[in-house]
Amino acid sequence: MHKHRPRAAARTLLPLLLAALAAPVAAAPPEIQPIHTAVIRATTGLCLRGAICHVDKAGVWVPKKKVAIVSVSVAEQAEIALYVDLEVATRPEMYQCADSDATGCIFRMKYAGPGLFVYGAERGNTYLGSNVTTTNITFPTGYGIVVPAGTPIYVHLDVRNQSLIDLKVDQDAWIYYVPLE
């Protein structure tokens, strides 16, 4: 009887081993692909208090290769009395994007500070409202805005300085992209 036990154990284990070999293997995590970053430094220069400072082409980046933009991020302004309207586009001027023709339009954001209750106030809290905003966009996996090599990507700025002081407005846009060539 002792001679047959190893064979019986082998017959019992063999189907289990075959089933384990036939089971699907857990997929390895996908390999991380590199994403590149370009920072478009944009500025209106000095924007006097109470002034509207509109600057087309306030900043520019020209990709050397064809790229797919997968995400854009723009930091919110710290000065609560600024209204900032920003566009990232291949179009040479701001406000050229329309529902029937949005080619080259990549990203737009508005930051609206709460504004002043009484302009010209020299003391006290004169601010009203809220400044909640969305300042980034990320496209779904596998999608991006394709920009041909050598095509300028501009940051356009339209700023209303409702602050009590003159400000130099710097507004950078971070472009996350994947080269396609």
Side-chain angles (χ1 to χ4, degrees), residues 5 10 51 94 132 177:
R5 280 190 176 169
M94 194 170 191
V132 176
Y177 68 94

Side-chain angles (χ1 to χ4, degrees), residues 64-115:
K64 294 179 180 164
K65 297 179 176 185
K66 182 179 182 181
V67 299
I69 296 173
V70 296
S71 183
V72 178
S73 180
V74 177
E76 211 174 272
Q77 286 288 338
E79 172 54 59
I80 62 173
L82 282 179
Y83 166 86
V84 178
D85 195 348
L86 176 141
E87 253 181 35
V88 177
T90 60
R91 296 189 174 228
E93 293 177 10
M94 194 170 191
Y95 304 125
Q96 292 184 336
C97 299
D99 31 334
S100 61
D101 185 14
T103 304
C105 303
I106 299 167
F107 177 74
R108 181 158 179 216
M109 76 102 186
K110 289 183 183 185
Y111 169 81

Side-chain angles (χ1 to χ4, degrees), residues 79-84 111-121 124-131 160-164:
E79 172 54 59
I80 62 173
L82 282 179
Y83 166 86
V84 178
Y111 169 81
L116 294 171
F117 178 64
V118 178
Y119 186 78
N125 183 358
T126 62
Y127 298 106
L128 296 173
S130 171
N131 60 1
R160 290 174 177 86
N161 181 3
Q162 298 172 324
S163 176
L164 299 175

Side-chain angles (χ1 to χ4, degrees), residues 143-157:
Y143 291 88
I145 295 177
V146 177
V147 177
T151 302
I153 299 172
Y154 302 105
V155 172
H156 306 297
L157 289 172

